[in-house]
Amino acid sequence: MMFRHVMVPYDGSDHAKNALNYAKDLVAGDADAKLSVVHAVPSSYMGVDRMGTDGALDGVPYGMLDYEEYQGVVKRVLDEAQKRVAEDLADLGDRAQVEAVAGASPADALSRYAEEHDCDLIVMGRRGLGAIRGMLGSVSFGVLRATEVPVLTVK
Ligand code: ATP
Ligand code: MG
């Protein structure tokens, strides 16, 4: 077998969906392999950018947002992400999970997740929801640059 823990950074875009399908095929035939679909909540969702602060404590600077509010944002994103991909992941049973992470930037949060959870492959879209033109989005570029984990990009 090749990969034990494949991670798919997921923003709901068609590219991310293609990446998810690709990753599913990779792990489907291997009972020991697992899949994590990870949605990053950028700190800009939390008003951090407006304050001109960047990135302490997973993107939440002191006094900006109380902890419950912050947990609420992450929880909402997680609930939505789980709903969106639940059906897609059904055939993998408990070998698949959906997570939401926060960070100073999506690329930071995603690459940290990959390292902390010993992912041995990241499969992600080349572009995402902000796709207009170009070869590589800023999140995929940022993850590629930040991590030692091999990254496979899918159109
Ligand atoms: P940009 O965001 O720079 O305008 P883009 O939206 O076209 O460009 P990216 O955001 O880099 O491109 O998206 C590329 C891939 O990165 C997506 O297909 C998805 O796999 C992943 N991705 C992007 N944003 C997130 C996010 N918030 N959480 C998880 N994965 C993400
Ligand atoms: Mg994007």
Side-chain angles (χ1 to χ4, degrees):
M1 79 123 261
M2 269 305 273
F3 302 112
R4 294 203 165 275
H5 189 183
V6 177
M7 169 185 174
V8 177
Y10 193 80
D11 67 352
S13 63
D14 287 344
H15 289 73
K17 284 177 189 154
N18 293 340
L20 180 58
N21 285 330
Y22 197 99
K24 268 177 60 184
D25 286 348
L26 276 179
V27 302
D30 186 335
D32 292 329
K34 58 180 184 168
L35 177 68
S36 294
V37 178
V38 185
H39 191 98
V41 185
S43 55
S44 56
Y45 283 19
M46 305 172 202
V48 175
D49 292 351
R50 265 175 285 143
M51 296 298 288
T53 344
D54 77 0
L57 186 65
D58 278 359
V60 185
Y62 299 113
M64 262 305 298
L65 187 78
D66 74 42
Y67 187 67
E68 271 175 36
E69 233 181 318
Y70 165 77
Q71 291 288 75
V73 173
V74 174
K75 169 111 178 38
R76 273 203 302 282
V77 170
L78 181 58
D79 287 348
E80 278 165 33
Q82 277 171 337
K83 262 185 252 154
R84 281 197 304 263
V85 296
E87 242 174 77
D88 278 344
L89 296 177
D91 31 326
L92 288 178
D94 63 3
R95 294 199 289 124
Q97 53 175 354
V98 183
E99 308 237 50
V101 293
S105 70
D108 267 10
L110 294 166
S111 44
R112 187 174 334 138
Y113 182 95
E115 317 257 337
E116 284 175 358
H117 293 83
D118 290 324
C119 297
D120 44 19
L121 179 70
I122 299 171
V123 182
M124 66 194 301
R126 228 167 274 189
R127 301 292 314 187
L129 287 173
I132 304 172
R133 64 185 130 94
M135 288 299 292
L136 208 54
S138 60
V139 177
S140 38
F141 181 75
V143 170
L144 273 170
R145 194 176 46 182
T147 188
E148 299 295 318
V149 178
V151 179
L152 182 78
T153 63
V154 177
K155 258 189 187 166

